[in-house]
Coordinates of all heavy atoms in Angstrom, one line a residue:
S22 N -76.6 -137.0 63.1 CA -75.8 -136.0 63.8 C -76.5 -134.6 63.5 O -77.4 -134.5 62.5 CB -74.4 -135.9 63.0 OG -74.5 -135.7 61.7
F23 N -76.1 -133.6 64.2 CA -76.7 -132.2 64.0 C -75.8 -131.5 63.1 O -74.6 -131.6 62.9 CB -76.7 -131.6 65.4 CG -77.7 -132.2 66.2 CD1 -77.3 -133.0 67.2 CD2 -79.1 -131.9 66.1 CE1 -78.3 -133.6 68.1 CE2 -80.1 -132.6 66.8 CZ -79.5 -133.3 67.9
P24 N -76.4 -130.6 62.2 CA -75.6 -129.7 61.3 C -74.6 -128.8 62.2 O -75.0 -128.4 63.3 CB -76.6 -128.7 60.6 CG -77.9 -129.4 60.7 CD -77.8 -130.4 62.0
T25 N -73.6 -128.5 61.6 CA -72.5 -127.8 62.3 C -72.8 -126.3 61.9 O -72.9 -126.0 60.7 CB -71.0 -128.1 61.9 OG1 -70.9 -129.5 62.3 CG2 -70.0 -127.3 62.7
R26 N -72.8 -125.5 62.8 CA -73.1 -123.9 62.5 C -71.7 -123.2 62.9 O -71.1 -123.3 63.8 CB -74.0 -123.4 63.5 CG -74.4 -121.9 63.2 CD -75.3 -121.3 64.1 NE -75.5 -119.9 63.9 CZ -75.1 -118.9 64.6 NH1 -74.2 -119.2 65.5 NH2 -75.3 -117.8 64.1
R27 N -71.3 -122.6 61.6 CA -70.1 -121.8 61.7 C -70.4 -120.5 61.2 O -71.3 -120.2 60.4 CB -69.1 -122.3 60.9 CG -68.5 -123.7 61.4 CD -67.4 -124.3 60.4 NE -67.8 -124.2 59.1 CZ -68.2 -125.3 58.4 NH1 -68.2 -126.4 58.9 NH2 -68.4 -125.1 57.1
S28 N -69.9 -119.3 61.7 CA -70.1 -118.1 61.0 C -69.9 -117.9 59.7 O -70.4 -117.1 59.0 CB -69.3 -117.0 61.8 OG -67.8 -117.1 61.7
S29 N -68.9 -118.8 59.0 CA -68.7 -118.8 57.6 C -70.0 -119.3 56.8 O -70.0 -119.2 55.7 CB -67.4 -119.6 57.3 OG -67.7 -120.9 57.8
D30 N -70.9 -120.0 57.6 CA -72.1 -120.6 56.9 C -73.2 -119.5 56.6 O -74.2 -119.8 56.1 CB -72.6 -121.7 57.7 CG -71.6 -122.8 57.9 OD1 -70.8 -123.1 57.0 OD2 -71.9 -123.7 58.8
L31 N -73.1 -118.4 57.3 CA -74.0 -117.3 57.3 C -73.6 -116.1 56.4 O -72.3 -115.9 56.2 CB -74.2 -116.8 58.6 CG -74.5 -117.7 59.7 CD1 -74.7 -117.1 61.1 CD2 -75.9 -118.4 59.3
P32 N -74.5 -115.6 55.7 CA -74.2 -114.4 54.9 C -73.6 -113.3 55.6 O -73.9 -113.0 56.8 CB -75.4 -114.1 54.1 CG -76.5 -114.7 54.8 CD -75.9 -115.7 55.7
A33 N -72.6 -112.5 55.1 CA -72.2 -111.4 55.7 C -73.1 -110.2 55.9 O -73.9 -110.1 55.0 CB -70.8 -110.9 55.0
D34 N -72.9 -109.4 56.8 CA -73.8 -108.1 56.8 C -73.3 -107.3 55.7 O -72.2 -107.1 55.3 CB -73.4 -107.4 58.2 CG -74.0 -108.1 59.4 OD1 -74.7 -109.0 59.2 OD2 -73.5 -107.8 60.5
V35 N -74.4 -106.8 55.1 CA -74.2 -105.8 54.0 C -75.0 -104.6 54.0 O -76.1 -104.6 54.7 CB -74.7 -106.6 52.5 CG1 -73.6 -107.7 52.4 CG2 -76.1 -107.0 52.5
T36 N -74.6 -103.6 53.5 CA -75.3 -102.2 53.3 C -75.6 -102.1 51.8 O -74.7 -102.1 51.0 CB -74.6 -101.2 53.8 OG1 -74.2 -101.4 55.3 CG2 -75.3 -99.9 53.8
I37 N -76.9 -101.8 51.5 CA -77.3 -101.7 50.1 C -78.1 -100.4 49.9 O -78.6 -99.8 50.9 CB -78.1 -103.0 49.7 CG1 -79.4 -103.1 50.4 CG2 -77.3 -104.2 49.8 CD1 -80.4 -104.0 49.9
E38 N -78.0 -100.0 48.7 CA -78.8 -98.8 48.3 C -80.2 -99.1 48.2 O -80.7 -100.3 47.9 CB -78.2 -98.2 47.0 CG -76.9 -97.8 47.1 CD -76.6 -96.6 48.1 OE1 -77.5 -95.7 48.1 OE2 -75.6 -96.6 48.8
C39 N -81.2 -98.0 48.1 CA -82.6 -98.2 48.1 C -83.1 -99.1 46.9 O -84.0 -99.9 47.0 CB -83.2 -97.0 48.1 SG -83.0 -96.0 49.6
D40 N -82.4 -99.0 45.7 CA -82.9 -99.6 44.6 C -82.2 -101.0 44.3 O -82.5 -101.6 43.4 CB -82.6 -98.8 43.3 CG -81.2 -98.4 43.0 OD1 -80.3 -98.6 44.1 OD2 -80.8 -97.8 42.0
A41 N -81.3 -101.4 45.3 CA -80.6 -102.8 45.2 C -81.6 -103.8 45.6 O -82.5 -103.7 46.4 CB -79.3 -102.8 46.1
D42 N -81.2 -105.1 45.1 CA -82.0 -106.3 45.4 C -81.7 -106.7 46.9 O -80.6 -106.9 47.3 CB -81.6 -107.4 44.6 CG -82.3 -108.8 44.8 OD1 -83.2 -108.7 45.8 OD2 -82.0 -109.8 44.2
S43 N -82.7 -106.6 47.8 CA -82.5 -106.9 49.2 C -83.0 -108.2 49.5 O -83.2 -108.6 50.8 CB -83.3 -105.9 50.1 OG -84.8 -105.9 49.9
S44 N -83.3 -109.1 48.5 CA -83.8 -110.5 48.8 C -82.6 -111.3 49.3 O -81.5 -111.0 49.0 CB -84.5 -111.0 47.6 OG -83.5 -111.4 46.6
P45 N -82.9 -112.4 49.9 CA -81.7 -113.4 50.2 C -81.0 -113.8 48.9 O -79.7 -113.8 49.0 CB -82.5 -114.7 50.8 CG -83.7 -114.0 51.3 CD -84.2 -113.0 50.4
A46 N -81.6 -113.8 47.9 CA -80.8 -114.2 46.6 C -79.8 -113.0 46.2 O -78.8 -113.3 45.7 CB -81.9 -114.4 45.5
G47 N -80.3 -111.7 46.5 CA -79.4 -110.7 46.2 C -78.2 -110.3 47.3 O -77.3 -109.7 47.0
T48 N -78.6 -110.9 48.5 CA -77.7 -110.3 49.6 C -76.9 -111.7 50.1 O -76.0 -111.5 51.1 CB -78.4 -109.7 50.8 OG1 -79.3 -110.5 51.3 CG2 -79.0 -108.4 50.2
G49 N -77.4 -112.9 49.9 CA -76.7 -114.1 50.4 C -77.6 -115.0 51.3 O -78.5 -114.4 51.8
S50 N -77.4 -116.3 51.2 CA -78.1 -117.2 51.9 C -77.2 -118.1 52.8 O -76.0 -118.1 52.7 CB -78.9 -118.1 50.9 OG -79.7 -117.4 50.3
A51 N -77.8 -118.7 53.8 CA -77.0 -119.5 54.7 C -76.8 -120.9 54.1 O -77.5 -121.3 53.3 CB -77.8 -119.7 56.0
T52 N -75.8 -121.5 54.6 CA -75.5 -123.0 54.1 C -75.2 -123.7 55.3 O -75.0 -123.2 56.5 CB -74.2 -123.0 53.2 OG1 -73.1 -122.5 53.9 CG2 -74.5 -122.2 51.9
A53 N -75.1 -125.1 55.3 CA -74.8 -125.9 56.4 C -74.2 -127.2 55.8 O -74.5 -127.7 54.7 CB -76.2 -126.2 57.2
T54 N -73.5 -127.8 56.7 CA -72.8 -129.0 56.3 C -72.8 -129.9 57.7 O -73.0 -129.3 58.9 CB -71.4 -128.8 55.9 OG1 -70.6 -128.3 57.0 CG2 -71.2 -128.1 54.7
D55 N -72.5 -131.2 57.6 CA -72.4 -132.0 58.8 C -71.1 -132.9 58.6 O -70.5 -132.9 57.4 CB -73.7 -132.8 59.1 CG -74.0 -133.9 58.2 OD1 -73.2 -134.2 57.2 OD2 -75.1 -134.5 58.3
N56 N -70.8 -133.7 59.4 CA -69.5 -134.6 59.3 C -69.9 -135.8 58.7 O -68.9 -136.6 58.3 CB -69.1 -135.0 60.8 CG -68.7 -133.6 61.5 OD1 -68.1 -132.7 60.8 ND2 -68.7 -133.7 62.8
C57 N -71.1 -136.2 58.3 CA -71.5 -137.5 57.6 C -71.7 -137.3 56.0 O -71.1 -138.3 55.2 CB -72.7 -138.0 58.2 SG -72.5 -138.4 60.0
D58 N -72.4 -136.3 55.7 CA -72.8 -136.2 54.3 C -73.1 -134.8 53.9 O -73.1 -134.0 54.8 CB -73.8 -137.3 53.8 CG -75.2 -137.0 54.5 OD1 -75.5 -135.9 54.9 OD2 -75.8 -138.1 54.8
D59 N -73.4 -134.5 52.6 CA -73.9 -133.1 52.4 C -75.3 -132.9 52.2 O -75.8 -131.9 51.8 CB -73.3 -132.7 51.0 CG -71.8 -132.6 51.0 OD1 -71.2 -132.2 52.0 OD2 -71.2 -132.9 49.9
A60 N -76.1 -133.9 52.8 CA -77.6 -134.0 52.7 C -78.2 -133.1 54.0 O -78.8 -133.6 54.8 CB -78.1 -135.3 52.7
V61 N -78.0 -131.8 54.0 CA -78.5 -131.0 54.8 C -79.4 -130.0 54.2 O -79.0 -129.3 53.3 CB -77.4 -130.1 55.7 CG1 -78.0 -129.2 56.6 CG2 -76.4 -131.0 56.3
D62 N -80.7 -129.8 54.7 CA -81.7 -129.1 54.0 C -81.6 -127.6 54.7 O -81.8 -127.8 56.0 CB -83.0 -129.6 54.2 CG -83.1 -130.9 53.3 OD1 -82.6 -130.8 52.2 OD2 -83.9 -131.8 53.7
V63 N -81.5 -126.6 54.0 CA -81.5 -125.3 54.6 C -82.8 -124.6 54.2 O -82.9 -124.4 52.8 CB -80.1 -124.4 54.1 CG1 -80.2 -123.1 54.8 CG2 -79.0 -125.2 54.8
V64 N -83.5 -124.0 55.0 CA -84.8 -123.4 54.6 C -84.8 -122.0 55.3 O -84.4 -121.6 56.4 CB -85.9 -124.1 55.2 CG1 -87.2 -123.4 55.0 CG2 -86.1 -125.6 54.7
Y65 N -85.1 -120.9 54.4 CA -85.3 -119.5 54.6 C -86.5 -119.4 55.5 O -87.6 -119.7 54.9 CB -85.2 -118.7 53.5 CG -85.5 -117.1 53.9 CD1 -84.6 -116.5 54.7 CD2 -86.5 -116.5 53.1 CE1 -84.9 -115.2 54.9 CE2 -86.7 -115.3 53.4 CZ -85.9 -114.5 54.2 OH -86.2 -113.2 54.5
D66 N -86.5 -119.1 56.8 CA -87.7 -118.8 57.5 C -88.3 -117.4 57.6 O -89.4 -117.3 58.1 CB -87.3 -119.3 59.1 CG -87.0 -120.8 59.1 OD1 -87.5 -121.6 58.4 OD2 -86.1 -121.1 60.0
G67 N -87.5 -116.5 57.0 CA -88.3 -115.2 57.0 C -87.4 -114.0 57.6 O -86.2 -114.4 58.0
E68 N -87.9 -112.9 57.9 CA -87.1 -111.9 58.3 C -88.0 -110.9 59.0 O -89.3 -110.9 59.1 CB -86.5 -111.0 57.1 CG -87.6 -110.4 56.3 CD -87.1 -109.8 55.0 OE1 -86.0 -110.2 54.5 OE2 -87.8 -108.8 54.5
V69 N -87.3 -110.2 60.1 CA -87.8 -109.1 60.8 C -87.2 -107.8 60.5 O -86.1 -107.8 60.4 CB -87.6 -109.5 62.4 CG1 -88.2 -108.3 63.2 CG2 -88.2 -110.7 62.8
R70 N -87.9 -106.9 60.2 CA -87.7 -105.4 59.9 C -87.7 -104.5 61.2 O -88.6 -104.5 61.7 CB -88.5 -104.8 58.8 CG -88.1 -103.5 58.4 CD -88.9 -102.8 57.4 NE -88.8 -101.5 57.3 CZ -88.8 -100.8 56.3 NH1 -89.1 -101.4 55.1 NH2 -88.7 -99.5 56.2
T71 N -86.4 -104.0 61.3 CA -86.4 -103.0 62.4 C -86.0 -101.6 61.9 O -84.9 -101.5 61.2 CB -85.3 -103.4 63.4 OG1 -85.5 -104.7 63.9 CG2 -85.1 -102.4 64.6
D72 N -86.9 -100.7 62.0 CA -86.7 -99.4 61.3 C -85.6 -98.6 62.1 O -85.4 -98.8 63.3 CB -88.0 -98.5 61.4 CG -89.1 -99.0 60.5 OD1 -88.7 -99.6 59.4 OD2 -90.2 -98.8 60.8
G73 N -84.8 -97.9 61.3 CA -83.7 -97.1 61.8 C -84.2 -95.7 62.2 O -85.3 -95.5 62.1
I74 N -83.2 -95.0 62.7 CA -83.5 -93.5 63.2 C -83.7 -92.5 62.1 O -84.4 -91.5 62.2 CB -82.5 -93.0 64.1 CG1 -81.2 -93.0 63.6 CG2 -82.5 -93.9 65.4 CD1 -80.2 -92.4 64.5
C75 N -83.2 -92.9 60.9 CA -83.3 -92.0 59.6 C -84.4 -92.4 58.8 O -84.7 -93.6 58.7 CB -81.9 -91.9 58.9 SG -80.7 -91.2 59.7
T76 N -85.1 -91.6 57.9 CA -86.0 -92.0 56.9 C -85.5 -93.1 56.1 O -84.3 -92.9 55.5 CB -86.6 -90.8 56.2 OG1 -87.0 -89.9 57.2 CG2 -87.6 -91.1 55.3
D77 N -86.2 -94.0 55.7 CA -85.9 -95.1 54.7 C -84.5 -96.0 55.2 O -84.0 -96.5 54.3 CB -85.7 -94.4 53.4 CG -87.0 -93.8 52.8 OD1 -88.1 -94.4 53.1 OD2 -86.9 -92.8 52.1
T78 N -84.2 -96.0 56.4 CA -83.3 -96.9 56.8 C -83.8 -98.0 57.7 O -84.8 -97.6 58.5 CB -82.2 -96.2 57.6 OG1 -82.6 -95.6 58.8 CG2 -81.5 -95.0 56.9
Y79 N -83.3 -99.2 57.7 CA -83.9 -100.3 58.4 C -82.9 -101.3 58.3 O -82.0 -101.5 57.6 CB -85.1 -100.7 58.0 CG -85.3 -101.2 56.5 CD1 -85.0 -102.4 56.2 CD2 -85.6 -100.4 55.5 CE1 -85.0 -102.9 54.9 CE2 -85.7 -100.6 54.2 CZ -85.4 -101.9 53.8 OH -85.5 -102.3 52.5
T80 N -83.1 -102.2 59.3 CA -82.3 -103.5 59.4 C -83.1 -104.8 59.2 O -84.1 -104.8 59.8 CB -81.6 -103.6 60.8 OG1 -80.7 -102.4 61.1 CG2 -80.7 -104.9 60.9
L81 N -82.7 -105.6 58.3 CA -83.4 -106.9 58.2 C -82.6 -108.0 58.9 O -81.5 -108.1 58.7 CB -83.6 -107.3 56.7 CG -84.3 -106.3 55.8 CD1 -84.4 -106.7 54.4 CD2 -85.9 -106.2 56.4
T82 N -83.4 -108.5 59.9 CA -82.7 -109.8 60.6 C -83.3 -111.0 60.0 O -84.7 -111.2 60.1 CB -82.9 -109.7 62.1 OG1 -82.3 -108.4 62.5 CG2 -82.2 -110.8 62.8
R83 N -82.6 -111.8 59.4 CA -83.1 -113.1 58.6 C -82.7 -114.3 59.5 O -81.7 -114.4 60.2 CB -82.6 -113.2 57.3 CG -83.0 -112.1 56.4 CD -82.7 -112.2 55.0 NE -83.6 -111.3 54.1 CZ -83.0 -110.5 53.4 NH1 -81.6 -110.5 53.2 NH2 -83.7 -109.6 52.6
T84 N -83.7 -115.3 59.4 CA -83.5 -116.6 60.0 C -83.4 -117.8 58.9 O -84.4 -117.8 58.2 CB -84.6 -116.7 61.0 OG1 -84.6 -115.6 61.9 CG2 -84.4 -118.0 61.7
W85 N -82.7 -118.7 59.2 CA -82.6 -119.9 58.4 C -82.8 -121.1 59.3 O -82.2 -121.0 60.5 CB -81.3 -120.1 57.6 CG -81.5 -119.2 56.3 CD1 -81.7 -119.5 55.1 CD2 -80.9 -117.9 56.2 NE1 -81.6 -118.5 54.1 CE2 -81.0 -117.4 54.9 CE3 -80.4 -116.9 57.1 CZ2 -80.6 -116.2 54.4 CZ3 -80.0 -115.7 56.7 CH2 -80.1 -115.3 55.4
S86 N -83.2 -122.2 58.9 CA -83.3 -123.4 59.7 C -82.5 -124.5 58.9 O -82.6 -124.5 57.7 CB -84.5 -124.0 59.9 OG -85.2 -123.1 60.8
A87 N -81.7 -125.4 59.5 CA -80.9 -126.4 58.9 C -81.4 -127.7 59.5 O -81.4 -127.9 60.8 CB -79.4 -126.2 58.9
T88 N -81.7 -128.6 58.6 CA -82.1 -129.9 59.1 C -81.3 -131.1 58.5 O -81.1 -131.1 57.2 CB -83.6 -130.2 58.7 OG1 -84.4 -129.2 59.2 CG2 -84.1 -131.6 59.4
D89 N -80.8 -132.0 59.2 CA -79.9 -133.0 58.8 C -80.8 -134.2 58.6 O -81.8 -134.4 59.4 CB -78.8 -133.2 59.8 CG -77.7 -134.2 59.4 OD1 -77.7 -134.4 58.1 OD2 -76.8 -134.6 60.1
D90 N -80.4 -135.1 57.8 CA -81.1 -136.5 57.5 C -80.8 -137.4 58.6 O -80.0 -137.4 59.4 CB -80.9 -136.9 56.1 CG -79.5 -137.2 55.8 OD1 -78.7 -136.9 56.6 OD2 -79.2 -137.7 54.9

């Protein structure tokens, strides 16, 4: 079966200060489940940075992959 994707499986959007931890460990990671068991591997695939209109502002868009056994 394929992992089920729900919005509750994804970290919420957050706004952080410049000196805060912006890593996935600091802002949240994705999770996944399926209907058969809990053996779903979730891998962080990276991020894309999009600069904002103000100095030192940007948006990070992160991607995770979930693989079921």
